[in-house]
Amino acid sequence: HSKMMIVDDDVALIGTANINQRSMDGCRDSEIMMTSWQPDHLATKESIPKGDIHAFRLHIWASITGQMDKVFRNPSSPECV
């Protein structure tokens, strides 16, 4: 089964591999993982990332909730939490 992890709108990992030694070893299980990182769109002290990973997270939340709410733009804000 597939998994997805988005970290701070900086990195997205999508695939079948678990984040453990058995899956990441490369010689025990047949797994695949895609990682996306956009160094030109990293978080700063003043702002959150605004690259494709950020847009992808917003799309996922909109698909799950059935709405595009402005509160989803900054996941660490008190309104979103």
Side-chain angles (χ1 to χ4, degrees):
H1 63 279
S2 62
K3 295 113 178 131
M4 177 175 64
M5 179 170 58
I6 299 174
V7 180
D8 298 334
D9 287 352
D10 285 334
V11 178
L13 295 94
I14 303 169
T16 61
N18 294 306
I19 309 299
N20 62 26
Q21 182 61 31
R22 180 181 172 128
S23 291
M24 304 304 272
D25 188 349
C27 62
R28 297 171 103 185
D29 287 341
S30 298
E31 304 285 1
I32 189 166
M33 181 68 73
M34 184 280 309
T35 302
S36 178
W37 177 59
Q38 294 183 289
D40 293 337
H41 298 282
L42 299 178
T44 66
K45 289 183 179 184
E46 293 81 35
S47 69
I48 62 173
K50 297 286 197 296
D52 292 334
I53 298 168
H54 171 78
F56 179 62
R57 181 183 57 77
L58 292 177
H59 173 77
I60 295 297
W61 275 116
S63 296
I64 292 169
T65 64
Q67 63 180 348
M68 178 61 81
D69 196 320
K70 289 181 183 180
V71 75
F72 298 152
R73 292 183 183 174
N74 188 354
S76 63
S77 70
E79 296 83 14
C80 188
V81 175

